[in-house]
């Protein structure tokens, strides 16, 4: 697994690229593209939720609304559909609906002369290795389930 940092540390700059699942991915897509995407997206969401728990544990206590409703795990629209380049993406972002805390970015990155607390970066760094292991395990388990349901071996 390789992580990438691009530019200054902001909430949206960190990502994981997971490699080494070629055999499992090939087996999944041998059955069906849709089933393969579904299993892999589910595994990625499990890993992202694991990282999200680490982030929520580092959010300051005074920002209770941010801890409860501030972040979400979502499927990437860029990596879906006909315009996709073969990647499947899941990301963690701030919620942007009415009533959701708008100040998460200021708490994390800082504002004017107030330094940020960097809880997103610290949570990501602390849990990324465990998240990769969880994603690999969930993908392999999903492949076994698909194999049983399809009736092969």
């Amino acid at each position: 697994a390789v992580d990438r940092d691009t530019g200054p540390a902001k909430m949206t700059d960190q990502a994981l690229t997971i490699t080494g699942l070629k055999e499992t991915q090939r087996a999944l897509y041998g059955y069906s593209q849709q089933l393969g995407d579904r299993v892999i997206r589910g595994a990625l969401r499990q890993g992202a939720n694991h990282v999200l728990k680490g982030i929520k544990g580092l959010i300051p206590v005074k920002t209770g609304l941010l801890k409860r409703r501030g972040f979400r795990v979502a499927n990437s629209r860029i990596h879906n559909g006909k315009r996709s380049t073969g990647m499947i993406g899941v990301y963690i972002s701030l919620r942007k609906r009415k009533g959701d805390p708008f100040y998460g970015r200021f708490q994390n990155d800082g504002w004017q002369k107030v330094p940020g607390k960097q809880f997103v970066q610290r949570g990501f760094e602390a849990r990324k290795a465990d998240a990769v292991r969880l994603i690999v395990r969930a993908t392999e388990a999903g492949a076994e389930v698909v194999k049983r349901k399809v009736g092969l071996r």
Side-chain angles (χ1 to χ4, degrees):
V2 179
D3 65 288
R4 296 177 295 193
D5 262 337
T6 55
K10 296 288 182 191
M11 287 193 335
T12 59
D13 287 344
Q14 297 183 348
L16 284 176
T17 302
I18 299 171
T19 58
L21 289 175
K22 290 281 187 206
E23 300 82 21
T24 307
Q25 187 177 9
R26 205 174 291 127
L28 279 170
Y29 289 130
Y31 307 129
S32 161
Q33 173 83 25
Q34 187 177 10
L35 280 174
D37 284 352
R38 191 171 178 186
V39 167
I40 291 174
R41 189 171 291 115
L44 288 173
R45 287 184 74 91
Q46 284 182 15
N49 281 320
H50 182 71
V51 171
L52 183 60
K53 285 180 187 176
I55 291 170
K56 284 185 176 183
L58 295 172
I59 294 174
V61 177
K62 288 183 178 181
T63 59
L65 185 63
L66 182 62
K67 190 175 269 195
R68 284 191 310 274
R69 293 181 45 191
F71 291 92
R72 69 186 183 110
V73 174
N75 294 331
S76 175
R77 291 188 199 117
I78 297 170
H79 299 119
N80 291 338
K82 294 179 182 177
R83 295 174 55 168
S84 173
T85 60
M87 292 176 29
I88 298 174
V90 172
Y91 64 95
I92 299 172
S93 71
L94 280 170
R95 292 183 188 266
K96 293 180 182 159
R97 295 185 316 222
K98 186 175 182 178
D100 289 332
F102 64 92
Y103 51 85
R105 184 160 278 116
F106 303 128
Q107 284 283 320
N108 187 63
D109 297 333
W111 186 65
Q112 291 182 353
K113 294 182 182 179
V114 179
K117 295 182 176 55
Q118 306 295 320
F119 50 84
V120 173
Q121 291 82 355
R122 291 185 295 135
F124 177 78
E125 289 298 323
R127 294 218 173 186
K128 71 180 177 183
D130 293 336
V132 168
R133 283 193 290 274
L134 181 65
I135 291 167
V136 170
R137 263 197 323 255
T139 303
E140 290 171 350
E144 290 299 319
V145 168
V146 168
K147 189 189 302 184
R148 272 183 284 161
K149 288 194 177 198
V150 171
L152 298 174
R153 292 189 220 178

